[in-house]
Amino acid sequence: MSADTRTKLLEGALRTVTEQGIAKTSARTIAAAAGVNQALVFYHFGSVDELLAAACRYGAEQNVARYRERLARVGSLAELLELGRELHAEERADGQVAVLAQLLAGSQTQPRLAAATAAGLTLWIDELEQVLARVLAGTPITAFVDVPGLSRALAASFVGLELYEGVDQEGALAALDALEQLSGLLGVLEDLGPVAQRAVRARLRRSAGRRGQGGPRAGA
């Protein structure tokens, strides 16, 4: 029964944040959503902030587990971006985008919530890193791409797009299209012959070397 009550509180917290916003989320509103006595919030979690932090991690774990099998089937960057579109639509329909927006807003002033939100996002980043390492293996740019950094960039892009869509849906869709165009460029590189691929690698290597030295000098 104790584990069941904890789960009810975690799900009640997420539902309250979605429907009422983090400013109106309290022990009373969470308990009402969970159908339990509000004293149980403090019994199981100690404070509303601790419950919200746990709910953030719980929600991320549930979502990552829900999509893990589909991510494992991704075979290219284009497929990953297409799946990203599908997940984005599903997350918005389920209210997860609203939860994320509220948690990010609350994280600006609540360090504990910020840490939990970051931990939840890290679960997604870790999954993305595994997919990117797999789909980029053997491609012309694999030796020049920081896969952990790229996974964070993609995660940040999708988080931003999910929030941006609320004020400019067409702009968010255009940004997704632009990401897909970049994946198309990678496909073009893969179709090049070995001589052209070597030339691309050499150019990328020179570019990476200049960045490592602080960029091109004036007059160079």
Side-chain angles (χ1 to χ4, degrees), residues 22 34 50 87 108 133 144:
I22 199 162
E50 289 284 2
L87 300 190
Q108 305 306 307
F144 308 99

Side-chain angles (χ1 to χ4, degrees), residues 215-220:
R217 294 183 300 275

Side-chain angles (χ1 to χ4, degrees), residues 52-62 64 68 100 103-104 107 110-127 152 155:
L52 285 173
C56 177
R57 290 189 292 269
Y58 171 81
E61 289 166 357
Q62 295 295 306
V64 169
R68 184 170 285 127
L100 178 60
L103 291 173
L104 288 172
S107 295
Q110 301 178 46
R112 186 178 291 110
L113 190 56
T117 303
L121 290 173
T122 297
L123 293 176
W124 281 110
I125 291 169
D126 290 344
E127 292 293 322
R152 283 167 172 75

Side-chain angles (χ1 to χ4, degrees), residues 82-105:
E82 180 58 32
L83 179 57
R85 281 185 183 269
E86 295 175 13
L87 300 190
H88 171 71
E90 293 174 15
E91 294 281 283
R92 180 165 290 280
D94 290 345
Q96 296 301 321
V97 174
V99 172
L100 178 60
Q102 291 294 323
L103 291 173
L104 288 172

